[in-house]
Amino acid sequence: MNSYELMFIVDPDVSDDALEKVITKFKDVITKNGGDVLKVDDHGIKSLAYKINKKPQGHYFLCLFNGPGGFIVELERNLRIDENIMRFVVTRLEEVVDKDDIKEEVEVEDASQSSNEQEEAKE
Amino acid sequence: MAENRRFDSNVKSRSRSRFRSYYKKKVCKFCENKDLKIDYKEAGILKEFITERGKMLPRRITGVCSRHQRKLSVAIKKARILALLPFTVHE
């Protein structure tokens, strides 16, 4: 079991419904292959250092998940197929993150601020 | 001959002492401050280690140790893929 971090950029022009679909789709891919999504952070729309697909901006997401190493290939294949995803990077973390660690973090965040991000993380 | 040699050695030692007087020992930023983590998401930190043109700075200028330079180079490359840092900067 390893901890992985997935950062991906979604097309900023995509509608909210389609955005949710994209995210749930990748959550499904992870959970179906024996992985465990710990949290999904919305980093918002940021301007890019260079244009990708002729677009100057991108919607950044950061996803933290645990799982066996074998399915990363499958996940990356799915990410490549999706047209709404402009870029992605999957990184293995040096230390394995437990579910309990994340829960504590989320609770602390909840106390200080309330937003949709935490709801996503709890799911 | 002998005088010449003495003269040469004098110049050398003088030049070396001058070099030393200018020399300020650089310490690796990441070794000094353990809380400072190399992370591909932190473009602000990585920006200190690239030129205005977007190229990575060598160790001899930044003073980073070899271990951290290795991690830094991987982080900068990841940040470039995610368009957090530029590959090149055109005017």
Side-chain angles (χ1 to χ4, degrees):
Chain A
M1 205 73 155
N2 293 315
S3 286
Y4 296 93
E5 209 174 58
L6 163 68
M7 201 176 197
F8 57 101
I9 310 173
V10 184
D11 194 323
D13 302 333
V14 160
S15 66
D16 290 349
D17 293 347
L19 198 65
E20 230 163 76
K21 263 184 202 167
V22 170
I23 292 162
T24 47
K25 191 177 145 197
F26 290 109
K27 276 185 181 172
D28 284 349
V29 172
I30 294 167
T31 47
K32 266 180 197 165
N33 289 288
D36 195 3
V37 181
L38 298 176
K39 68 172 174 183
V40 180
D41 274 353
D42 186 347
H43 285 205
I45 294 173
K46 286 195 243 178
S47 57
L48 305 169
Y50 52 88
K51 284 184 181 177
I52 301 176
N53 302 343
K54 294 174 187 171
K55 277 168 189 161
Q57 286 183 322
H59 199 154
Y60 282 79
F61 284 94
L62 183 69
C63 173
L64 191 68
F65 61 94
N66 282 341
F71 79 98
I72 299 298
V73 180
E74 174 66 15
L75 177 67
E76 287 189 339
R77 193 183 67 84
N78 277 286
L79 285 161
R80 243 175 244 125
I81 290 168
D82 200 308
E83 281 184 356
N84 295 327
I85 299 220
M86 294 157 82
R87 280 294 155 88
F88 64 87
V89 164
V90 183
T91 319
R92 198 183 83 206
L93 299 178
E94 284 171 16
E95 291 168 16
V96 176
V97 183
D98 283 333
K99 230 181 179 178
D100 302 334
D101 296 344
I102 294 299
K103 265 183 190 167
E104 278 171 24
E105 253 179 55
V106 170
E107 275 163 18
V108 171
E109 276 174 23
D110 262 337
S112 59
Q113 53 175 288
S114 60
S115 69
N116 298 329
E117 285 173 35
Q118 275 98 42
E119 282 175 31
E120 281 174 1
K122 272 179 188 167
E123 275 168 20
Chain B
M1 241 335 240
E3 267 180 26
N4 253 350
R5 203 181 285 155
R6 209 181 298 146
F7 178 70
D8 283 345
S9 67
N10 273 347
V11 168
K12 238 184 194 173
S13 68
R14 206 185 296 153
S15 72
R16 193 185 289 154
S17 68
R18 195 186 294 155
F19 171 72
R20 271 192 187 150
S21 65
Y22 279 110
Y23 189 70
K24 206 190 251 177
K25 208 191 171 194
K26 288 174 195 155
V27 185
C28 173
K29 235 185 175 181
F30 300 101
C31 291
E32 212 175 31
N33 185 1
K34 298 280 183 205
D35 297 332
L36 200 64
K37 289 274 180 326
I38 297 175
D39 190 353
Y40 65 94
K41 299 185 291 293
E42 303 280 339
I45 295 169
L46 300 180
K47 261 183 190 153
E48 290 175 33
F49 300 95
I50 60 172
T51 65
E52 288 164 30
R53 276 259 166 172
K55 289 162 88 174
M56 282 187 226
L57 281 169
R59 244 156 38 82
R60 65 166 190 276
I61 289 169
T62 56
V64 178
C65 71
S66 64
R67 183 161 173 250
H68 284 122
Q69 178 77 3
R70 248 179 287 133
K71 293 187 174 180
L72 201 57
S73 78
V74 174
I76 290 172
K77 284 166 190 172
K78 271 180 190 160
R80 280 176 180 167
I81 294 171
L82 285 164
L84 298 172
L85 292 180
F87 281 99
T88 54
V89 180
H90 309 283
E91 62 262 57

